Amino acid sequence: MAETKQKYYLTTPIYYVNARPHIGHAYTTIVADVVARRQRLLGNDVWFLTGTDEHGQKIERAAKAAGVSPKDFADGISIQFRNLWDRMGLTYDQYIRTTDEAHKRGVQKLFSTLKDNGFIYLNAYTGAYCVSDEAFVDAPVGTPCPDCGRLLEEVTEENYFFKLSAFQEKLIDLIESGTMDVQPETRRNEVLSFLRGGLKDLSISRSSFTWGVPVPGDPKHVIYVWLDALANYITALGYGSEDETNFKKYWPADLHLVGKEIIRFHCVYWPAFLMAAGLPLPKKIVAHGWLLFEESKMSKSRGNIVRAETILEAFGSLKPEISKAEQDLFGADVLRYFLLREIPFGSDGSFSFDALVTRYNADLANGYGNLVSRVLKMIQVEYAGSFSKLQSKHIVSSVYLEGVDELVAYGSEGIEKLVEVTAKLAIEKQLLDRDLLTQFDFLRYSVDRYLSANAPWKLDGDVPEDEARRQEILYTAAESIRVVTALLYPILPYATAKVWAQLGLGDIETAAKNGELKNLQWGGLKSGTKLGALGPIFPRADKELITRMNEMEQNNAPATAPAEAAPATTPAVEAKTEPVSIGIDDFMKVELRVAQIKVAERIPKADKLLRLEVDLGNETRQILSGIAEHYTPEELIGRRIVIVANLAPRKMRGLESHGMLLAASVGDGDKPVLATVPDDAVLGSRVR
Ligand code: ME8
Ligand code: MG
């Protein structure tokens, strides 16, 4: 009788194509990949979906700014995401794009079903809309969006509405009862309190722009981009097409993995749409926290991003002997390990190149890598790499373990027990828990201590008693390495494959498929095993790599976000560059002009930035300036200042900044002091 495998369907958000990927997107996709690999190890039939979200006003505008059609723009960015996932060896089973024809048909089918079932009606609506979040917001037009701080725009349209209000009680029940499991707890409570606050019907069409899926039968409307996007989770499986085999097989999703800022869309709107269509609900929605960089959320619009490519290239360069493709996979392992080990899953975590290199050296180069190379080298030298004499001589007894010293005192048995405990934990915790990687590290450290306490290199192979001990010690260490390697495989798929081969166990992917990496039992290194070719796995990284990665990011800065890249502060205040001489011609290219500050106000959630409107005589400009910690808006209004007038416009916090204020940096804190001009200086006149 054929064994029926359990299906496991997991998804990442589909990423907007308004700008290229950064390690925030990589984080979610990596976590999904770890879960997918783990599920495959368990023998389950996994379907892992990722892709890109390509419709909506935000994309339409980004394309316009770049001077290309929305489709061309989307094509260019979507492929960048996909290529990056491929370079990193991420094992998605399907890559969906919302511009795929099959997806569009599926979205229309969902819309029609919602309408047929009586959950959609037409109504006129005027409201404040946040283009960046693609959502109507309950706040006055012209004020900053409470979620992201960008200015709200007024939208008056005849729109189709979805009867979201009908689902409030049902959703509360589903989430409270755990029928639809929302994790972690903090996010679950957040969703519940949002639901208890009451639900308004939701506008689900737009008619002021065209870049989207047309409403069936009323093509002057396009379907709301979030309905379009969320539907990807079912259209990818063939919902609404002739072939619904995958839909029948894999839906409902076992896991939607998302970042915490889109939990409402996934835990409120999405299940409501599904219920209205009479479809089953996802079993579990898990939200992780944000990667922070320089203290704020890494995001395309802030421009404070780190690209995964930089990490792949920098760490790949530590291994010049392998191919470019393998270097990428190695770099991807380093990033995977760092993100899972450093950030407590569910919380926000800061990223820095310094922390990345430190963690790599401590845990991988000096830790795991060094242990592997020391132990295998001894086996190579003393036993010609053969395990024929090295065999497990005992069975685990239930020793009580506490600290490393006790473990070491128990010798082989202690280590063996620890291996068993770790293996159990790995299965329970699904490898997403930082504590688990701490546990691996503890195990690795314990084996190190065990080795130094027992010093097998001091034992004399000619003395039978010493020889017996040495065999046991080396076997215990090697077998611990085997188990740790099997457990780490979903996190470090490239590096563990190398260790596996060095242990003489062959291809780790084959072992994974054969179920050899699941119920790990002590004694897997059999007497016929012979070590493979040895070689370094994790070369040490020196501090210079940090500088290199910083430089690589700086050199790449302009390309990060074609539509809205911008540093968060005014360069005059923060830049410290080497002096360079320029000619008068170069200087004259910089257009310095007298301007008067007419409007000055704070920007919510941006502690450093002020929004200014300045008068240049024949023109008024908006300039954002990072001086909010040093000037109050009141003391600025009316001042005559000098601005760089011909600086290209750029966006900060979604607002355009056109020009820059001149300021001197004073004192240790580099306090900016504005360059001012007398009150009779003519507005707009040039300063040279
Ligand atoms: O929201 N830290 O797309 P998006 C951690 N298209 N994760 C981050 C991150 C950060 N700093 N930045 C991004 C959208 N992410 C919609 C989704 S789904 C039907 C539609 C990850 O391009 C995280 O998973 O803004 C977050 O939820 C997602 O990228 C948002 O990507
Ligand atoms: Mg976003």
Side-chain angles (χ1 to χ4, degrees):
M1 218 170 61
E3 193 188 339
T4 31
K5 289 180 168 185
Q6 226 180 304
K7 69 93 185 169
Y8 193 89
Y9 177 39
L10 81 164
T11 67
T12 71
I14 48 172
Y15 306 110
Y16 284 130
V17 291
N18 61 327
R20 59 191 303 183
H22 58 71
I23 58 171
H25 308 108
Y27 181 41
T28 319
T29 321
I30 284 172
V31 169
D33 187 68
V34 171
V35 175
R37 285 177 189 266
R38 175 92 203 123
Q39 286 295 330
R40 290 190 199 105
L41 285 188
L42 298 176
N44 293 334
D45 177 1
V46 174
W47 197 257
F48 167 13
L49 175 73
T50 190
T52 44
D53 187 355
E54 307 188 5
H55 290 131
Q57 196 160 15
K58 169 160 145 161
I59 311 300
E60 195 180 76
R61 284 191 185 170
K64 205 166 176 200
V68 295
S69 75
K71 181 60 166 57
D72 285 349
F73 189 81
D75 285 350
I77 306 249
S78 182
I79 196 75
Q80 288 188 39
F81 275 90
R82 187 169 187 160
N83 284 346
L84 178 61
W85 305 153
D86 290 343
R87 279 179 70 180
M88 294 175 66
L90 302 180
T91 57
Y92 60 88
D93 293 288
Q94 188 180 0
Y95 188 89
I96 190 169
R97 300 183 53 188
T98 55
T99 48
D100 292 342
E101 291 306 320
H103 168 77
K104 292 195 254 177
R105 283 194 298 274
V107 172
Q108 290 183 325
K109 156 93 184 274
L110 180 61
F111 191 99
S112 302
T113 308
L114 298 179
K115 195 150 182 260
D116 293 348
N117 292 355
F119 290 100
I120 289 181
Y121 60 94
L122 196 61
N123 204 1
Y125 184 76
T126 300
Y129 194 78
C130 174
V131 174
S132 178
D133 293 345
E134 296 282 13
F136 277 102
V137 178
D138 200 5
V141 170
T143 65
C145 167
D147 280 337
C148 73
R150 294 171 182 85
L151 290 186
L152 298 172
E153 299 180 22
E154 181 171 287
V155 172
T156 304
E157 279 177 4
E158 188 176 62
N159 280 339
Y160 287 95
F161 276 77
F162 172 71
K163 289 187 185 164
L164 184 64
S165 55
F167 295 94
Q168 179 184 2
E169 291 308 320
K170 264 195 175 147
L171 285 166
I172 292 175
D173 281 353
L174 281 164
I175 295 172
E176 273 185 340
S177 67
T179 310
M180 189 176 76
D181 187 12
V182 178
Q183 293 293 338
E185 195 68 25
T186 46
R187 300 277 94 84
R188 183 168 170 265
N189 293 336
E190 184 186 310
V191 172
L192 283 170
S193 79
F194 174 79
L195 285 167
R196 290 190 186 111
L199 292 179
K200 287 188 184 160
D201 287 354
L202 182 70
S203 161
I204 52 161
S205 74
R206 302 288 311 279
S207 57
S208 62
F209 64 93
T210 55
W211 183 238
V213 180
V215 166
D218 194 356
K220 59 180 193 299
H221 291 263
V222 293
I223 295 173
Y224 176 44
V225 65
W226 270 100
L227 173 54
D228 171 352
L230 289 161
N232 94 88
Y233 299 135
I234 55 176
T235 63
L237 300 177
Y239 168 82
S241 77
E242 285 99 77
D243 184 2
E244 291 198 339
T245 319
N246 271 349
F247 181 60
K248 290 194 182 105
K249 182 164 166 197
Y250 291 111
W251 190 255
D254 295 85
L255 174 65
H256 288 316
L257 200 60
V258 298
K260 68 178 184 185
E261 81 289 355
I262 53 176
I263 196 85
R264 202 197 330 150
F265 297 95
H266 284 81
C267 302
V268 178
Y269 299 174
W270 179 227
F273 295 149
L274 289 165
M275 283 190 274
L279 296 170
L281 303 185
K283 292 183 193 160
K284 189 167 180 156
I285 298 151
V286 173
H288 61 66
W290 287 338
L291 285 188
L292 311 177
F293 192 58
E294 291 158 359
E295 282 150 49
S296 51
K297 182 190 175 216
M298 192 176 290
S299 84
K300 312 174 243 215
S301 37
R302 286 201 183 89
N304 62 337
I305 64 154
V306 172
R307 299 166 318 123
E309 290 90 334
T310 293
I311 294 160
L312 305 190
E313 272 155 43
F315 280 89
S317 75
L318 297 177
K319 294 172 78 74
E321 72 282 3
I322 60 179
S323 69
K324 178 77 176 73
E326 283 194 75
Q327 288 180 351
D328 284 345
L329 296 175
F330 174 73
D333 270 16
V334 176
L335 178 59
R336 294 165 77 99
Y337 183 83
F338 177 82
L339 293 175
L340 288 164
R341 173 66 179 80
E342 198 83 8
I343 300 166
F345 191 80
S347 313
D348 294 350
S350 284
F351 180 85
S352 79
F353 289 123
D354 201 275
L356 176 67
V357 167
T358 305
R359 177 61 68 192
Y360 168 80
N361 280 332
D363 291 11
L364 297 178
N366 300 341
Y368 177 53
N370 183 267
L371 174 67
V372 170
S373 95
R374 279 198 307 155
V375 170
L376 301 197
K377 232 174 245 160
M378 268 186 277
I379 296 173
Q380 183 71 12
V381 170
E382 302 298 342
Y383 300 97
S386 163
F387 281 87
S388 59
K389 287 188 183 162
L390 306 184
Q391 281 304 300
S392 185
K393 304 240 169 24
H394 57 274
I395 299 156
V396 181
S397 59
S398 47
V399 287
Y400 172 73
L401 303 175
E402 211 170 57
V404 176
D405 290 326
E406 271 152 281
L407 269 175
V408 171
Y410 277 105
S412 308
E413 276 185 68
I415 299 298
E416 209 177 308
K417 183 70 188 169
L418 179 59
V419 165
E420 194 187 272
V421 169
T422 307
K424 243 197 220 134
L425 253 173
I427 287 159
E428 280 165 20
K429 300 231 170 181
Q430 291 279 306
L431 290 168
L432 288 183
D433 200 297
R434 186 179 58 154
D435 294 347
L436 180 61
L437 288 178
T438 312
Q439 172 78 9
F440 282 120
D441 229 41
F442 178 66
L443 171 56
R444 192 265 308 157
Y445 178 66
S446 309
V447 178
D448 270 343
R449 287 286 300 275
Y450 165 77
L451 284 171
S452 26
N454 290 286
W457 48 88
K458 283 191 190 150
L459 298 172
D460 183 349
D462 294 334
V463 178
E465 208 173 286
D466 277 11
E467 171 56 23
R469 272 192 63 209
R470 188 168 73 184
Q471 289 176 13
E472 179 173 330
I473 295 161
L474 288 181
Y475 186 85
T476 302
E479 180 61 5
S480 302
I481 290 171
R482 183 187 70 90
V483 175
V484 169
T485 302
L487 293 172
L488 282 176
Y489 158 80
I491 295 166
L492 294 170
Y494 176 80
T496 53
K498 297 294 159 194
V499 176
W500 202 252
Q502 291 194 11
L503 281 167
L505 297 168
D507 178 23
I508 201 165
E509 300 290 341
T510 311
K513 279 196 195 88
N514 295 343
E516 288 164 35
L517 306 188
K518 69 174 188 188
N519 302 316
L520 293 159
Q521 304 270 322
W522 190 261
L525 286 166
K526 307 280 184 225
S527 89
T529 312
K530 198 156 187 298
L531 296 183
L534 304 187
I537 311 248
F538 299 105
R540 263 192 71 84
D542 55 41
K543 295 276 173 199
E544 198 201 311
L545 206 67
I546 300 168
T547 318
R548 277 235 345 253
M549 288 189 284
N550 274 313
E551 279 169 11
M552 285 162 84
E553 279 306 286
Q554 259 143 40
N555 295 339
N556 254 292
T560 50
E564 36 175 3
T569 50
T570 309
V573 180
E574 65 167 23
K576 282 200 191 65
T577 43
E578 291 296 305
V580 282
S581 302
I582 58 165
I584 186 81
D585 291 352
D586 280 335
F587 172 70
M588 289 306 286
K589 284 184 199 156
V590 180
E591 220 183 282
L592 302 175
R593 290 192 186 275
V594 175
Q596 186 179 29
I597 301 177
K598 296 287 187 191
V599 175
E601 59 188 30
R602 296 188 182 282
I603 300 177
K605 295 189 184 171
D607 296 343
K608 294 185 180 154
L609 281 186
L610 287 182
R611 191 185 76 84
L612 308 174
E613 283 173 28
V614 304
D615 185 358
L616 278 166
N618 56 359
E619 180 193 352
T620 304
R621 295 268 189 95
Q622 172 169 285
I623 297 180
L624 304 189
S625 182
I627 54 174
E629 288 169 332
H630 305 282
Y631 286 96
T632 62
E634 299 71 42
E635 61 182 314
L636 288 172
I637 292 168
R639 279 217 203 184
R640 266 166 216 244
I641 52 161
V642 180
I643 70 160
V644 183
N646 63 340
L647 199 64
R650 49 199 191 134
K651 269 195 171 180
M652 295 180 184
R653 300 289 171 115
L655 297 171
E656 186 179 83
S657 180
H658 191 182
M660 189 180 102
L661 276 49
L662 289 196
S665 297
V666 176
D668 286 345
D670 282 342
K671 173 176 157 44
V673 174
L674 288 179
T676 52
V677 287
D679 282 348
D680 55 359
V682 177
L683 296 186
S685 61
R686 227 175 139 171
V687 179
R688 53 186 82 172

